[in-house]
Amino acid sequence: MQVSPYSLLGASTLAALEQRCNAMLDAWAGAWGVERSACALDCARAWDTTALRPGQWQRHYAQAEQAVWIGWPDQLARALQARMFAPDQRHAPDAPGGASLAAQSAAEACAALADALAAAAAPGVRAPADSGTAAPPARLFRSASGAVMVALRIAEQSMLCVLNHACLDLPAPQKLALPARTDLRGVLGYMPVTLSVSLGQVEVDVSQLLTLAVGDVIRLDSHVDQPVTVTGPDGQALFGAHLGSADGTIVVEAVRHASH
């Protein structure tokens, strides 16, 4: 039974691939004397791309289940030659031997770019498995195949690279280790907490409030022998307590919860 991958490929996977390929392109352009601004690169899902597929696929790389196809038209070498060896209009045209040498250098630059692109896009693949016109299988361009198309443009010409799903199939993430159980009492034991003690309540009208003076006594709705309520920072009752004094300081003695 033949099994095909079903992978939608997230944006982060494409971004990581594009970053590797752009780093390769920077190094290649510097080594071959090509203006980096003349080169552009784009990574997309193979089934989403509208780029024209070249009629001549010139490189096929393979390693285990990984496979890469790279192709480019003959015009790409001529475009590279114009970038690498700009004609000097002050002198007569070069001799045919010079033109042949420039064309050979441009062809070598194309081959070096293909090898570098394959190594950057799929580090596991080896040197070309074969050379010829064999195109990538049609299944790679079906929806959710997991394949990627890398389009590298120089001037108006393009080098296209197709990667199958195995080139981007990352290993499953390792199972995360659960943190050890934390002793909350040890962690929170030294955090300060403010407790409030409610001695009681009273209602007064405005006229009584306006006549209050120093020394007046306000009768609360609780008795001295009744426990008061101690509440936490959120206002929730925690426990009851009795008022008292120790060393000249007002203290409370905890008793059962006020609701018990």
PDB file of all heavy atoms in Angstrom, residues 84-124:
ATOM      1  N   MET A  84      28.112  38.905 -14.164  1.00  0.00           N
ATOM      2  CA  MET A  84      29.473  38.645 -13.720  1.00  0.00           C
ATOM      3  C   MET A  84      30.509  39.332 -14.592  1.00  0.00           C
ATOM      4  O   MET A  84      31.572  39.745 -14.103  1.00  0.00           O
ATOM      5  CB  MET A  84      29.727  37.133 -13.709  1.00  0.00           C
ATOM      6  CG  MET A  84      28.865  36.351 -12.734  1.00  0.00           C
ATOM      7  SD  MET A  84      28.927  34.552 -13.011  1.00  0.00           S
ATOM      8  CE  MET A  84      30.683  34.225 -12.849  1.00  0.00           C
ATOM      9  N   PHE A  85      30.209  39.461 -15.879  1.00  0.00           N
ATOM     10  CA  PHE A  85      31.168  40.052 -16.823  1.00  0.00           C
ATOM     11  C   PHE A  85      30.455  41.124 -17.636  1.00  0.00           C
ATOM     12  O   PHE A  85      30.124  40.924 -18.806  1.00  0.00           O
ATOM     13  CB  PHE A  85      31.750  38.977 -17.755  1.00  0.00           C
ATOM     14  CG  PHE A  85      32.350  37.808 -17.023  1.00  0.00           C
ATOM     15  CD1 PHE A  85      31.622  36.636 -16.840  1.00  0.00           C
ATOM     16  CD2 PHE A  85      33.630  37.868 -16.515  1.00  0.00           C
ATOM     17  CE1 PHE A  85      32.165  35.547 -16.161  1.00  0.00           C
ATOM     18  CE2 PHE A  85      34.181  36.785 -15.842  1.00  0.00           C
ATOM     19  CZ  PHE A  85      33.447  35.635 -15.664  1.00  0.00           C
ATOM     20  N   ALA A  86      30.228  42.240 -17.009  1.00  0.00           N
ATOM     21  CA  ALA A  86      29.560  43.339 -17.718  1.00  0.00           C
ATOM     22  C   ALA A  86      30.467  43.833 -18.839  1.00  0.00           C
ATOM     23  O   ALA A  86      31.666  44.044 -18.631  1.00  0.00           O
ATOM     24  CB  ALA A  86      29.264  44.466 -16.745  1.00  0.00           C
ATOM     25  N   PRO A  87      29.930  44.006 -20.049  1.00  0.00           N
ATOM     26  CA  PRO A  87      30.771  44.449 -21.179  1.00  0.00           C
ATOM     27  C   PRO A  87      31.288  45.860 -20.963  1.00  0.00           C
ATOM     28  O   PRO A  87      30.598  46.722 -20.422  1.00  0.00           O
ATOM     29  CB  PRO A  87      29.816  44.365 -22.379  1.00  0.00           C
ATOM     30  CG  PRO A  87      28.446  44.471 -21.773  1.00  0.00           C
ATOM     31  CD  PRO A  87      28.532  43.807 -20.439  1.00  0.00           C
ATOM     32  N   ASP A  88      32.516  46.077 -21.355  1.00  0.00           N
ATOM     33  CA  ASP A  88      33.145  47.395 -21.260  1.00  0.00           C
ATOM     34  C   ASP A  88      32.975  48.093 -22.600  1.00  0.00           C
ATOM     35  O   ASP A  88      33.591  47.724 -23.606  1.00  0.00           O
ATOM     36  CB  ASP A  88      34.622  47.241 -20.917  1.00  0.00           C
ATOM     37  CG  ASP A  88      35.273  48.576 -20.549  1.00  0.00           C
ATOM     38  OD1 ASP A  88      34.656  49.627 -20.834  1.00  0.00           O
ATOM     39  OD2 ASP A  88      36.381  48.551 -19.984  1.00  0.00           O
ATOM     40  N   GLN A  89      32.132  49.100 -22.638  1.00  0.00           N
ATOM     41  CA  GLN A  89      31.804  49.774 -23.882  1.00  0.00           C
ATOM     42  C   GLN A  89      32.951  50.641 -24.403  1.00  0.00           C
ATOM     43  O   GLN A  89      32.897  51.120 -25.527  1.00  0.00           O
ATOM     44  CB  GLN A  89      30.552  50.645 -23.677  1.00  0.00           C
ATOM     45  CG  GLN A  89      29.334  49.874 -23.237  1.00  0.00           C
ATOM     46  CD  GLN A  89      28.883  48.853 -24.255  1.00  0.00           C
ATOM     47  OE1 GLN A  89      29.136  49.001 -25.453  1.00  0.00           O
ATOM     48  NE2 GLN A  89      28.221  47.788 -23.784  1.00  0.00           N
ATOM     49  N   ARG A  90      33.997  50.820 -23.605  1.00  0.00           N
ATOM     50  CA  ARG A  90      35.100  51.677 -24.047  1.00  0.00           C
ATOM     51  C   ARG A  90      36.025  50.950 -25.010  1.00  0.00           C
ATOM     52  O   ARG A  90      36.869  51.559 -25.656  1.00  0.00           O
ATOM     53  CB  ARG A  90      35.917  52.143 -22.838  1.00  0.00           C
ATOM     54  CG  ARG A  90      35.126  53.001 -21.849  1.00  0.00           C
ATOM     55  CD  ARG A  90      35.944  53.270 -20.606  1.00  0.00           C
ATOM     56  NE  ARG A  90      36.299  52.001 -19.923  1.00  0.00           N
ATOM     57  CZ  ARG A  90      37.104  51.936 -18.863  1.00  0.00           C
ATOM     58  NH1 ARG A  90      37.644  53.042 -18.368  1.00  0.00           N
ATOM     59  NH2 ARG A  90      37.366  50.764 -18.305  1.00  0.00           N
ATOM     60  N   HIS A  91      35.921  49.645 -25.101  1.00  0.00           N
ATOM     61  CA  HIS A  91      36.825  48.874 -25.933  1.00  0.00           C
ATOM     62  C   HIS A  91      36.034  48.019 -26.915  1.00  0.00           C
ATOM     63  O   HIS A  91      34.823  47.845 -26.788  1.00  0.00           O
ATOM     64  CB  HIS A  91      37.722  47.977 -25.068  1.00  0.00           C
ATOM     65  CG  HIS A  91      38.496  48.748 -24.025  1.00  0.00           C
ATOM     66  ND1 HIS A  91      39.607  49.480 -24.331  1.00  0.00           N
ATOM     67  CD2 HIS A  91      38.287  48.903 -22.693  1.00  0.00           C
ATOM     68  CE1 HIS A  91      40.084  50.063 -23.236  1.00  0.00           C
ATOM     69  NE2 HIS A  91      39.285  49.728 -22.223  1.00  0.00           N
ATOM     70  N   ALA A  92      36.716  47.479 -27.824  1.00  0.00           N
ATOM     71  CA  ALA A  92      36.090  46.590 -28.798  1.00  0.00           C
ATOM     72  C   ALA A  92      35.671  45.298 -28.106  1.00  0.00           C
ATOM     73  O   ALA A  92      36.202  44.957 -27.038  1.00  0.00           O
ATOM     74  CB  ALA A  92      37.062  46.294 -29.940  1.00  0.00           C
ATOM     75  N   PRO A  93      34.743  44.564 -28.684  1.00  0.00           N
ATOM     76  CA  PRO A  93      34.333  43.299 -28.071  1.00  0.00           C
ATOM     77  C   PRO A  93      35.509  42.360 -27.877  1.00  0.00           C
ATOM     78  O   PRO A  93      36.469  42.370 -28.643  1.00  0.00           O
ATOM     79  CB  PRO A  93      33.321  42.734 -29.083  1.00  0.00           C
ATOM     80  CG  PRO A  93      32.851  43.927 -29.847  1.00  0.00           C
ATOM     81  CD  PRO A  93      34.012  44.874 -29.908  1.00  0.00           C
ATOM     82  N   ASP A  94      35.427  41.531 -26.843  1.00  0.00           N
ATOM     83  CA  ASP A  94      36.479  40.577 -26.565  1.00  0.00           C
ATOM     84  C   ASP A  94      36.563  39.528 -27.666  1.00  0.00           C
ATOM     85  O   ASP A  94      35.616  39.306 -28.431  1.00  0.00           O
ATOM     86  CB  ASP A  94      36.223  39.883 -25.224  1.00  0.00           C
ATOM     87  CG  ASP A  94      36.364  40.861 -24.069  1.00  0.00           C
ATOM     88  OD1 ASP A  94      37.081  41.869 -24.228  1.00  0.00           O
ATOM     89  OD2 ASP A  94      35.743  40.612 -23.019  1.00  0.00           O
ATOM     90  N   ALA A  95      37.662  38.861 -27.696  1.00  0.00           N
ATOM     91  CA  ALA A  95      37.847  37.781 -28.669  1.00  0.00           C
ATOM     92  C   ALA A  95      36.923  36.627 -28.328  1.00  0.00           C
ATOM     93  O   ALA A  95      36.483  36.482 -27.186  1.00  0.00           O
ATOM     94  CB  ALA A  95      39.307  37.326 -28.652  1.00  0.00           C
ATOM     95  N   PRO A  96      36.621  35.766 -29.296  1.00  0.00           N
ATOM     96  CA  PRO A  96      35.715  34.639 -29.023  1.00  0.00           C
ATOM     97  C   PRO A  96      36.173  33.779 -27.862  1.00  0.00           C
ATOM     98  O   PRO A  96      35.360  33.254 -27.119  1.00  0.00           O
ATOM     99  CB  PRO A  96      35.732  33.857 -30.350  1.00  0.00           C
ATOM    100  CG  PRO A  96      36.080  34.885 -31.386  1.00  0.00           C
ATOM    101  CD  PRO A  96      37.016  35.844 -30.719  1.00  0.00           C
ATOM    102  N   GLY A  97      37.502  33.621 -27.705  1.00  0.00           N
ATOM    103  CA  GLY A  97      37.978  32.814 -26.591  1.00  0.00           C
ATOM    104  C   GLY A  97      37.570  33.401 -25.260  1.00  0.00           C
ATOM    105  O   GLY A  97      37.211  32.675 -24.330  1.00  0.00           O
ATOM    106  N   GLY A  98      37.615  34.737 -25.134  1.00  0.00           N
ATOM    107  CA  GLY A  98      37.212  35.390 -23.898  1.00  0.00           C
ATOM    108  C   GLY A  98      35.745  35.183 -23.616  1.00  0.00           C
ATOM    109  O   GLY A  98      35.339  34.934 -22.481  1.00  0.00           O
ATOM    110  N   ALA A  99      34.908  35.289 -24.652  1.00  0.00           N
ATOM    111  CA  ALA A  99      33.479  35.083 -24.484  1.00  0.00           C
ATOM    112  C   ALA A  99      33.189  33.648 -24.056  1.00  0.00           C
ATOM    113  O   ALA A  99      32.309  33.387 -23.239  1.00  0.00           O
ATOM    114  CB  ALA A  99      32.746  35.421 -25.781  1.00  0.00           C
ATOM    115  N   SER A 100      33.939  32.706 -24.604  1.00  0.00           N
ATOM    116  CA  SER A 100      33.737  31.310 -24.236  1.00  0.00           C
ATOM    117  C   SER A 100      34.108  31.074 -22.778  1.00  0.00           C
ATOM    118  O   SER A 100      33.440  30.328 -22.066  1.00  0.00           O
ATOM    119  CB  SER A 100      34.595  30.419 -25.147  1.00  0.00           C
ATOM    120  OG  SER A 100      34.503  29.078 -24.759  1.00  0.00           O
ATOM    121  N   LEU A 101      35.165  31.727 -22.323  1.00  0.00           N
ATOM    122  CA  LEU A 101      35.574  31.586 -20.934  1.00  0.00           C
ATOM    123  C   LEU A 101      34.521  32.170 -19.997  1.00  0.00           C
ATOM    124  O   LEU A 101      34.215  31.589 -18.947  1.00  0.00           O
ATOM    125  CB  LEU A 101      36.920  32.281 -20.721  1.00  0.00           C
ATOM    126  CG  LEU A 101      37.491  32.214 -19.303  1.00  0.00           C
ATOM    127  CD1 LEU A 101      37.721  30.767 -18.894  1.00  0.00           C
ATOM    128  CD2 LEU A 101      38.797  33.014 -19.227  1.00  0.00           C
ATOM    129  N   ALA A 102      33.939  33.305 -20.365  1.00  0.00           N
ATOM    130  CA  ALA A 102      32.895  33.911 -19.544  1.00  0.00           C
ATOM    131  C   ALA A 102      31.662  33.016 -19.475  1.00  0.00           C
ATOM    132  O   ALA A 102      31.050  32.853 -18.412  1.00  0.00           O
ATOM    133  CB  ALA A 102      32.527  35.290 -20.107  1.00  0.00           C
ATOM    134  N   ALA A 103      31.293  32.422 -20.622  1.00  0.00           N
ATOM    135  CA  ALA A 103      30.127  31.531 -20.644  1.00  0.00           C
ATOM    136  C   ALA A 103      30.374  30.296 -19.787  1.00  0.00           C
ATOM    137  O   ALA A 103      29.479  29.826 -19.068  1.00  0.00           O
ATOM    138  CB  ALA A 103      29.807  31.129 -22.077  1.00  0.00           C
ATOM    139  N   GLN A 104      31.604  29.770 -19.832  1.00  0.00           N
ATOM    140  CA  GLN A 104      31.930  28.599 -19.019  1.00  0.00           C
ATOM    141  C   GLN A 104      31.871  28.948 -17.527  1.00  0.00           C
ATOM    142  O   GLN A 104      31.368  28.162 -16.719  1.00  0.00           O
ATOM    143  CB  GLN A 104      33.315  28.085 -19.387  1.00  0.00           C
ATOM    144  CG  GLN A 104      33.734  26.851 -18.596  1.00  0.00           C
ATOM    145  CD  GLN A 104      35.114  26.362 -18.986  1.00  0.00           C
ATOM    146  OE1 GLN A 104      35.725  26.870 -19.930  1.00  0.00           O
ATOM    147  NE2 GLN A 104      35.610  25.367 -18.265  1.00  0.00           N
ATOM    148  N   SER A 105      32.374  30.126 -17.159  1.00  0.00           N
ATOM    149  CA  SER A 105      32.327  30.545 -15.758  1.00  0.00           C
ATOM    150  C   SER A 105      30.885  30.706 -15.289  1.00  0.00           C
ATOM    151  O   SER A 105      30.540  30.324 -14.162  1.00  0.00           O
ATOM    152  CB  SER A 105      33.096  31.854 -15.582  1.00  0.00           C
ATOM    153  OG  SER A 105      34.460  31.693 -15.915  1.00  0.00           O
ATOM    154  N   ALA A 106      30.028  31.279 -16.149  1.00  0.00           N
ATOM    155  CA  ALA A 106      28.622  31.443 -15.776  1.00  0.00           C
ATOM    156  C   ALA A 106      27.944  30.092 -15.597  1.00  0.00           C
ATOM    157  O   ALA A 106      27.126  29.905 -14.686  1.00  0.00           O
ATOM    158  CB  ALA A 106      27.902  32.277 -16.832  1.00  0.00           C
ATOM    159  N   ALA A 107      28.275  29.123 -16.458  1.00  0.00           N
ATOM    160  CA  ALA A 107      27.696  27.781 -16.319  1.00  0.00           C
ATOM    161  C   ALA A 107      28.156  27.135 -15.010  1.00  0.00           C
ATOM    162  O   ALA A 107      27.370  26.470 -14.319  1.00  0.00           O
ATOM    163  CB  ALA A 107      28.096  26.929 -17.516  1.00  0.00           C
ATOM    164  N   GLU A 108      29.415  27.317 -14.665  1.00  0.00           N
ATOM    165  CA  GLU A 108      29.907  26.786 -13.401  1.00  0.00           C
ATOM    166  C   GLU A 108      29.232  27.472 -12.214  1.00  0.00           C
ATOM    167  O   GLU A 108      28.967  26.838 -11.188  1.00  0.00           O
ATOM    168  CB  GLU A 108      31.425  26.958 -13.327  1.00  0.00           C
ATOM    169  CG  GLU A 108      32.188  26.096 -14.328  1.00  0.00           C
ATOM    170  CD  GLU A 108      33.683  26.336 -14.265  1.00  0.00           C
ATOM    171  OE1 GLU A 108      34.111  27.212 -13.483  1.00  0.00           O
ATOM    172  OE2 GLU A 108      34.430  25.662 -15.008  1.00  0.00           O
ATOM    173  N   ALA A 109      28.959  28.767 -12.357  1.00  0.00           N
ATOM    174  CA  ALA A 109      28.254  29.489 -11.287  1.00  0.00           C
ATOM    175  C   ALA A 109      26.853  28.938 -11.102  1.00  0.00           C
ATOM    176  O   ALA A 109      26.361  28.809  -9.970  1.00  0.00           O
ATOM    177  CB  ALA A 109      28.209  30.984 -11.601  1.00  0.00           C
ATOM    178  N   CYS A 110      26.179  28.589 -12.200  1.00  0.00           N
ATOM    179  CA  CYS A 110      24.844  27.985 -12.115  1.00  0.00           C
ATOM    180  C   CYS A 110      24.903  26.648 -11.382  1.00  0.00           C
ATOM    181  O   CYS A 110      24.079  26.361 -10.499  1.00  0.00           O
ATOM    182  CB  CYS A 110      24.265  27.789 -13.516  1.00  0.00           C
ATOM    183  SG  CYS A 110      23.460  29.237 -14.198  1.00  0.00           S
ATOM    184  N   ALA A 111      25.869  25.827 -11.750  1.00  0.00           N
ATOM    185  CA  ALA A 111      25.992  24.518 -11.114  1.00  0.00           C
ATOM    186  C   ALA A 111      26.317  24.665  -9.626  1.00  0.00           C
ATOM    187  O   ALA A 111      25.773  23.943  -8.786  1.00  0.00           O
ATOM    188  CB  ALA A 111      27.065  23.705 -11.820  1.00  0.00           C
ATOM    189  N   ALA A 112      27.197  25.611  -9.296  1.00  0.00           N
ATOM    190  CA  ALA A 112      27.537  25.839  -7.893  1.00  0.00           C
ATOM    191  C   ALA A 112      26.334  26.342  -7.113  1.00  0.00           C
ATOM    192  O   ALA A 112      26.134  25.973  -5.951  1.00  0.00           O
ATOM    193  CB  ALA A 112      28.688  26.835  -7.792  1.00  0.00           C
ATOM    194  N   LEU A 113      25.522  27.186  -7.753  1.00  0.00           N
ATOM    195  CA  LEU A 113      24.317  27.689  -7.089  1.00  0.00           C
ATOM    196  C   LEU A 113      23.334  26.555  -6.821  1.00  0.00           C
ATOM    197  O   LEU A 113      22.726  26.492  -5.750  1.00  0.00           O
ATOM    198  CB  LEU A 113      23.666  28.770  -7.960  1.00  0.00           C
ATOM    199  CG  LEU A 113      22.373  29.384  -7.415  1.00  0.00           C
ATOM    200  CD1 LEU A 113      22.592  30.003  -6.042  1.00  0.00           C
ATOM    201  CD2 LEU A 113      21.823  30.428  -8.394  1.00  0.00           C
ATOM    202  N   ALA A 114      23.180  25.653  -7.778  1.00  0.00           N
ATOM    203  CA  ALA A 114      22.270  24.516  -7.586  1.00  0.00           C
ATOM    204  C   ALA A 114      22.741  23.638  -6.432  1.00  0.00           C
ATOM    205  O   ALA A 114      21.933  23.237  -5.573  1.00  0.00           O
ATOM    206  CB  ALA A 114      22.170  23.707  -8.874  1.00  0.00           C
ATOM    207  N   ASP A 115      24.034  23.337  -6.385  1.00  0.00           N
ATOM    208  CA  ASP A 115      24.553  22.506  -5.299  1.00  0.00           C
ATOM    209  C   ASP A 115      24.386  23.188  -3.949  1.00  0.00           C
ATOM    210  O   ASP A 115      24.015  22.553  -2.953  1.00  0.00           O
ATOM    211  CB  ASP A 115      26.027  22.192  -5.538  1.00  0.00           C
ATOM    212  CG  ASP A 115      26.238  21.258  -6.726  1.00  0.00           C
ATOM    213  OD1 ASP A 115      25.271  20.587  -7.134  1.00  0.00           O
ATOM    214  OD2 ASP A 115      27.365  21.214  -7.250  1.00  0.00           O
ATOM    215  N   ALA A 116      24.662  24.495  -3.907  1.00  0.00           N
ATOM    216  CA  ALA A 116      24.544  25.231  -2.651  1.00  0.00           C
ATOM    217  C   ALA A 116      23.088  25.327  -2.211  1.00  0.00           C
ATOM    218  O   ALA A 116      22.775  25.235  -1.017  1.00  0.00           O
ATOM    219  CB  ALA A 116      25.144  26.626  -2.801  1.00  0.00           C
ATOM    220  N   LEU A 117      22.186  25.504  -3.166  1.00  0.00           N
ATOM    221  CA  LEU A 117      20.767  25.594  -2.843  1.00  0.00           C
ATOM    222  C   LEU A 117      20.254  24.270  -2.284  1.00  0.00           C
ATOM    223  O   LEU A 117      19.513  24.239  -1.296  1.00  0.00           O
ATOM    224  CB  LEU A 117      19.975  25.992  -4.090  1.00  0.00           C
ATOM    225  CG  LEU A 117      18.449  26.084  -3.940  1.00  0.00           C
ATOM    226  CD1 LEU A 117      18.074  27.086  -2.855  1.00  0.00           C
ATOM    227  CD2 LEU A 117      17.802  26.482  -5.270  1.00  0.00           C
ATOM    228  N   ALA A 118      20.665  23.165  -2.882  1.00  0.00           N
ATOM    229  CA  ALA A 118      20.242  21.852  -2.383  1.00  0.00           C
ATOM    230  C   ALA A 118      20.785  21.603  -0.982  1.00  0.00           C
ATOM    231  O   ALA A 118      20.076  21.098  -0.106  1.00  0.00           O
ATOM    232  CB  ALA A 118      20.708  20.760  -3.336  1.00  0.00           C
ATOM    233  N   ALA A 119      22.039  21.981  -0.739  1.00  0.00           N
ATOM    234  CA  ALA A 119      22.638  21.767   0.577  1.00  0.00           C
ATOM    235  C   ALA A 119      21.978  22.617   1.642  1.00  0.00           C
ATOM    236  O   ALA A 119      21.834  22.194   2.795  1.00  0.00           O
ATOM    237  CB  ALA A 119      24.138  22.057   0.510  1.00  0.00           C
ATOM    238  N   ALA A 120      21.569  23.839   1.271  1.00  0.00           N
ATOM    239  CA  ALA A 120      20.916  24.717   2.245  1.00  0.00           C
ATOM    240  C   ALA A 120      19.483  24.288   2.511  1.00  0.00           C
ATOM    241  O   ALA A 120      19.010  24.321   3.652  1.00  0.00           O
ATOM    242  CB  ALA A 120      20.946  26.157   1.744  1.00  0.00           C
ATOM    243  N   ALA A 121      18.784  23.876   1.463  1.00  0.00           N
ATOM    244  CA  ALA A 121      17.374  23.511   1.621  1.00  0.00           C
ATOM    245  C   ALA A 121      17.203  22.154   2.282  1.00  0.00           C
ATOM    246  O   ALA A 121      16.289  21.956   3.090  1.00  0.00           O
ATOM    247  CB  ALA A 121      16.681  23.519   0.255  1.00  0.00           C
ATOM    248  N   ALA A 122      18.078  21.222   1.964  1.00  0.00           N
ATOM    249  CA  ALA A 122      17.981  19.865   2.525  1.00  0.00           C
ATOM    250  C   ALA A 122      19.390  19.383   2.860  1.00  0.00           C
ATOM    251  O   ALA A 122      20.038  18.727   2.045  1.00  0.00           O
ATOM    252  CB  ALA A 122      17.305  18.924   1.527  1.00  0.00           C
ATOM    253  N   PRO A 123      19.902  19.737   4.031  1.00  0.00           N
ATOM    254  CA  PRO A 123      21.296  19.418   4.369  1.00  0.00           C
ATOM    255  C   PRO A 123      21.623  17.929   4.305  1.00  0.00           C
ATOM    256  O   PRO A 123      22.788  17.561   4.189  1.00  0.00           O
ATOM    257  CB  PRO A 123      21.430  19.946   5.809  1.00  0.00           C
ATOM    258  CG  PRO A 123      20.363  20.986   5.939  1.00  0.00           C
ATOM    259  CD  PRO A 123      19.236  20.518   5.076  1.00  0.00           C
ATOM    260  N   GLY A 124      20.646  17.056   4.333  1.00  0.00           N
ATOM    261  CA  GLY A 124      20.929  15.629   4.344  1.00  0.00           C
ATOM    262  C   GLY A 124      21.201  15.016   2.988  1.00  0.00           C
ATOM    263  O   GLY A 124      21.660  13.878   2.908  1.00  0.00           O
TER     264      GLY A 124
END
